[in-house]
């Protein structure tokens, strides 16, 4: 068994998205090192990663994989842990700089709501559903990788996310089992009775017929979501707009709402999404 296979098997209970990220980061760090991670000292790993990688977020992700592999094998991790802790301030500074750059170009929350209304009025139902779910439930890209189902009994498998169109009761149930922090926050379920959303899903189900996948191309989920958003700004920018507009209006409860619905802690929201 290769080091990568062992690493993935060790983390097989993690969310699918997390495992995909681990695989990607492992391949990147093994290329940088030129071999198995466990064959290199902590100091050498830090030296080579810092020499080859400029983005601090990527650096942290790579060091995290190295740390996890050494921990899996019972090797010491103290130097890697100290380096990652030292980099936290750099990550926060980098995030703040990016947010400052975006501050001047992001749309208002009203513009996002008007854009969503425009999508509905022009029968662009798939794009409307994406924007509606981001604006109302603050979801990540991966959360929108769901199956369209007509019967409750077809939403039992917890390996998937679902949008259950309950025609009889005129409601839609949004069920998330597979998302970034599912192992911490568990299943998320939202019942939606908004008439416009119900009609949008009804039309999409009729249009798709036997194809129950909302986003057909799994490899292009992020691109597909971004393309559907206002000016292609993506879901993370939507969250920034929602948070900062509400904080500007002294609605601090929005942080708790997003934390509960998205499945993330409030401090992470403050560190990464406030402008």
């Amino acid at each position: 068994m290769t080091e990568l296979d062992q690493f993935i098997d060790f983390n097989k209970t993690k969310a699918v998205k997390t495992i995909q990220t681990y695989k990607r980061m492992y391949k990147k760090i093994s290329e940088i090192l030129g071999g198995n991670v466990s064959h290199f000292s902590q100091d050498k790993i830090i030296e080579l990663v810092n020499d080859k990688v400029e983005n601090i977020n990527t650096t942290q992700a790579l060091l995290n994989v190295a740390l996890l592999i050494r921990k899996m094998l019972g090797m010491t991790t103290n130097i890697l842990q100290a380096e990652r802790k030292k980099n936290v301030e750099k990550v926060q500074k980098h995030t703040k700089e990016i947010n400052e750059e975006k501050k001047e170009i992001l749309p208002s929350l009203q513009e996002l709501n008007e854009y969503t209304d425009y999508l509905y009025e022009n029968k662009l139902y798939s794009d409307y559903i994406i924007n509606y779910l981001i604006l109302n439930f603050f979801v990540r890209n991966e959360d929108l990788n769901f199956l369209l189902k007509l019967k409750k009994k077809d939403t039992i498998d917890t390996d998937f996310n679902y949008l259950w169109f309950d025609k009889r009761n005129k409601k839609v149930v949004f069920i998330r089992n597979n998302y970034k922090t599912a192992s911490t926050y568990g299943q998320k379920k939202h019942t939606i009775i908004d008439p416009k959303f119900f009609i949008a899903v009804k039309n999409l189900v009729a249009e798709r017929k036997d194809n129950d996948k909302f986003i057909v191309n799994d490899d292009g989920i992020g691109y597909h979501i971004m393309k559907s958003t206002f000016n292609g700004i993506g879901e993370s920018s939507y969250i920034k707009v929602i948070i900062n507009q509400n904080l500007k209006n002294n609605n601090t409860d929005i942080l708790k709402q997003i934390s509960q619905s998205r499945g993330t802690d409030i401090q992470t929201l403050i560190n990464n999404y406030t402008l």
Side-chain angles (χ1 to χ4, degrees):
M1 183 180 288
T2 66
E3 187 178 73
L4 174 58
D5 290 337
Q6 187 178 356
F7 181 49
I8 297 306
D9 184 66
F10 187 76
N11 291 282
K12 60 187 177 184
T13 59
K14 299 283 187 181
V16 173
K17 190 69 174 179
T18 300
I19 292 175
Q20 290 174 345
T21 300
Y22 281 170
K23 284 182 180 178
R24 190 172 68 254
M25 289 298 108
Y26 178 87
K27 289 176 182 177
K28 188 174 182 67
I29 195 171
S30 63
E31 286 177 7
I32 290 171
L33 299 177
N36 287 353
V37 175
S38 58
H39 293 174
F40 294 81
S41 69
Q42 295 181 77
D43 287 324
K44 194 63 178 178
I45 291 170
I46 292 168
E47 176 191 335
L48 291 172
V49 168
N50 286 339
D51 183 56
K52 298 290 185 181
V53 181
E54 293 184 4
N55 186 292
I56 189 63
N57 289 305
T58 303
T59 296
Q60 287 291 78
L62 293 171
L63 294 181
N64 183 55
V65 165
L67 189 152
L68 291 173
I69 287 173
R70 290 181 66 89
K71 188 178 289 187
M72 173 187 74
L73 297 172
M75 303 170 74
T76 56
T77 59
N78 58 313
I79 298 174
L80 284 168
Q81 288 184 34
E83 182 70 11
R84 290 189 76 247
K85 186 175 180 180
K86 186 178 73 175
N87 285 342
V88 169
E89 287 187 12
K90 294 180 182 178
V91 171
Q92 292 175 345
K93 182 182 177 183
H94 178 68
T95 301
K96 188 175 181 180
E97 288 172 352
I98 291 175
N99 286 345
E100 283 296 324
E101 290 174 5
K102 287 188 173 183
K103 197 171 185 179
E104 300 300 320
I105 61 173
L106 287 177
S108 67
L109 184 54
Q110 181 179 341
E111 285 178 292
L112 297 184
N113 286 321
E114 289 175 351
Y115 173 68
T116 304
D117 289 339
Y118 163 83
L119 294 172
Y120 179 81
E121 290 163 4
N122 287 273
K123 300 182 179 180
L124 300 169
Y125 295 124
S126 177
D127 290 346
Y128 168 79
I129 290 168
I130 288 170
N131 281 267
Y132 182 96
L133 293 176
I134 295 174
L135 287 171
N136 288 276
F137 302 108
F138 324 112
V139 294
R140 301 176 180 89
N141 287 339
E142 188 65 24
D143 302 27
L144 296 166
N145 186 18
F146 54 74
L147 302 176
L148 296 161
K149 294 297 181 181
L150 303 179
K151 298 178 181 178
K152 185 178 181 179
K153 67 180 182 66
D154 294 329
T155 67
I156 304 301
D157 191 337
T158 55
D159 287 334
F160 301 97
N161 299 328
Y162 303 97
L163 204 62
W164 167 33
F165 177 66
D166 186 354
K167 183 178 180 180
R168 180 179 179 182
N169 296 300
K170 294 187 177 180
K171 67 181 181 181
V172 178
V173 183
F174 181 35
I175 304 168
R176 285 178 287 158
N177 296 304
N178 186 3
Y179 63 100
K180 186 177 181 181
T181 53
S183 59
T184 301
Y185 293 92
Q187 185 189 74
K188 296 284 184 182
K189 184 182 292 187
H190 305 281
T191 299
I192 305 168
I193 57 174
D194 185 321
K196 287 168 63 176
F197 189 81
F198 180 82
I199 291 171
V201 176
K202 177 182 178 180
N203 279 280
L204 188 65
V205 168
E207 178 185 315
R208 294 293 179 85
K209 296 181 180 178
D210 296 329
N211 186 359
D212 64 354
K213 292 189 71 174
F214 179 62
I215 297 174
V216 179
N217 185 0
D218 289 342
D219 295 331
I221 291 172
Y223 172 74
H224 184 90
I225 303 303
M226 182 173 288
K227 192 172 65 171
S228 300
T229 57
F230 180 82
N231 287 344
I233 63 175
E235 59 87 9
S236 64
S237 291
Y238 271 46
I239 304 303
K240 287 184 173 74
V241 171
I242 294 166
I243 288 176
N244 289 280
Q245 184 109 20
N246 277 276
L247 292 182
K248 186 178 179 181
N249 295 331
N250 296 315
N251 178 22
T252 56
D253 287 343
I254 192 65
L255 294 172
K256 185 177 180 180
Q257 293 173 35
I258 295 176
S259 172
Q260 291 176 343
S261 183
R262 188 175 172 89
T264 190
D265 65 271
I266 290 176
Q267 193 57 51
T268 297
L269 294 174
I270 293 172
N271 290 343
N272 293 286
Y273 295 98
T274 54
L275 301 177

